Amino acid sequence: MQQDIESAARSVAVRTYGSGITVELCTLLGVIEPFPSHFHDYYMVGVVAGGNRRLAVSGREYDLRAGDLLVINLGDPHSCESIDGTKLEYRSFSIAAPVMDALLADFGAEFDRETGPLFPEPIVRDAGLFALALDCHVRGCADQGCVDGAVENVEPFYLFIERLLAASAVRREELEAFEALPGSEAVASACRLIEQDFRSRMTLDDMARAAGVGRYALIRAFTREKGITPYRYMLTLRIIEARGLLASGAGPAEVAGALGFADQAHFGRVFKDITGIAPGAYRASRIGGGFDGSVL
């Protein structure tokens, strides 16, 4: 796995969001210099968190501002420069063509590059989608629950990409028509796997394989039927067992290792997120008899 690269103004992290889905996450903060015309051999999805720029893509000019999503097709020449001297605060996802093809297959959509670009316009303005993209990028770079670049909770990334593709006129009709969801048996199969193996470092690939459906189809069907995503279902089962282990005297590090968390810090974040209390405090309260266990 390629190592993450960091400098004062630039950071690059390589993250894997399931089998065949490897994406480069780049962060550029405080950039004032212009970018001369160039192109990429991959799709680029940019999150503009700050700075106002004049953007040129394939000979057309646009005003790019904070709150915009920038989507560039592979091979499209583009350049940009500051309009008013404000510094660029920018995060991007670099997605190779085979990876984009795999994502489209997950969503049940087909795309022929000979018929036109995947993204017909380079700027998407959607506040909700922007917030989702920014959160997904920040979480990916923060490396929470990440082992060797593999992101444990890939669901936010899939939801972000699906909404981005649906916002594109090229993809909207196919994605909106893709309403057929797997039946209850597929969801039940995924549930059985999760309930049996939630202590292991299970992936969405594992769950989808057990269900016999695609990754995104499982997320949608599972959420519709259970009211919770597959990953959150797995985490909830882990935390239910963690409470019992902590109450019996096991330490947080021991519990983290027993329940498949990346490390004690990751376990602590998830435990507090779900219960509202840190695992060490929960353990101390239960052992001391001063906690009634009602926070879950």
Side-chain angles (χ1 to χ4, degrees):
M1 174 58 67
Q2 178 181 339
Q3 296 296 310
D4 297 351
I5 303 170
E6 295 187 1
S7 70
R10 174 182 173 88
S11 68
V12 178
V14 178
R15 296 291 179 258
T16 300
Y17 294 92
S19 177
I21 310 297
T22 297
V23 178
E24 183 180 278
L25 277 59
C26 178
T27 304
L28 294 173
L29 304 177
V31 176
I32 191 62
E33 65 269 21
F35 288 92
S37 186
H38 63 290
F39 63 89
H40 305 296
D41 60 350
Y42 51 81
Y43 293 97
M44 185 181 70
V45 180
V47 184
V48 183
N52 299 308
R53 295 226 150 192
R54 180 65 42 79
L55 171 72
V57 181
S58 299
R60 295 177 60 189
E61 290 194 346
Y62 306 84
D63 286 336
L64 185 66
R65 58 178 185 255
D68 286 348
L69 291 180
L70 173 65
V71 285
I72 302 293
N73 298 292
L74 70 168
D76 282 355
H78 56 284
S79 63
C80 71
E81 61 183 2
S82 177
I83 295 175
D84 53 10
T86 55
K87 293 184 177 180
L88 180 66
E89 308 290 330
Y90 179 76
R91 298 171 180 269
S92 68
F93 301 83
S94 300
I95 306 174
V99 174
M100 186 64 81
D101 289 342
L103 287 168
L104 288 168
D106 274 329
F107 302 135
E110 297 181 355
F111 173 66
D112 182 358
R113 291 188 185 86
E114 298 300 320
T115 64
L118 178 63
F119 300 110
E121 293 294 331
I123 297 177
V124 176
R125 292 191 169 122
D126 181 319
L129 179 55
F130 174 86
L132 185 61
L134 181 60
D135 180 68
C136 184
H137 194 286
V138 170
R139 286 177 180 271
C141 291
D143 200 26
Q144 296 181 1
C146 211
V147 176
D148 294 331
V151 176
E152 183 174 18
N153 180 12
V154 305
E155 292 168 347
F157 175 78
Y158 274 82
L159 295 172
F160 151 56
I161 294 294
E162 186 275 335
R163 281 191 57 180
L164 175 68
L165 292 170
S168 165
V170 173
R171 295 271 55 85
R172 185 180 297 119
E173 290 184 5
E174 287 188 9
L175 288 164
E176 288 182 349
F178 184 55
E179 293 298 332
L181 295 179
S184 294
E185 183 51 40
V187 174
S189 296
C191 274
R192 284 193 291 271
L193 175 68
I194 296 170
E195 290 162 3
Q196 292 167 5
D197 296 339
F198 66 86
R199 300 172 190 84
S200 68
R201 287 190 62 80
M202 190 185 313
T203 68
L204 183 62
D205 286 343
D206 298 327
M207 300 174 193
R209 201 159 32 243
V213 299
R215 289 170 286 205
Y216 181 66
L218 176 63
I219 294 172
R220 292 185 67 199
F222 200 102
T223 304
R224 179 193 63 181
E225 188 163 321
K226 297 291 184 181
I228 188 172
T229 67
Y231 180 75
R232 297 302 299 183
Y233 186 70
M234 179 187 70
L235 286 186
T236 300
L237 292 179
R238 286 184 180 180
I239 297 307
I240 289 171
E241 181 155 327
R243 292 177 67 196
L245 293 172
L246 291 167
S248 68
E254 179 185 355
V255 174
L259 295 181
F261 289 95
D263 51 34
Q264 184 178 340
H266 180 215
F267 166 56
R269 286 191 296 269
V270 174
F271 190 92
K272 188 172 183 180
D273 179 56
I274 291 178
T275 69
I277 186 171
Y282 178 83
R283 177 180 181 273
S285 298
R286 285 301 303 271
I287 292 174
F291 186 72
D292 64 6
S294 62
V295 290
L296 254 186

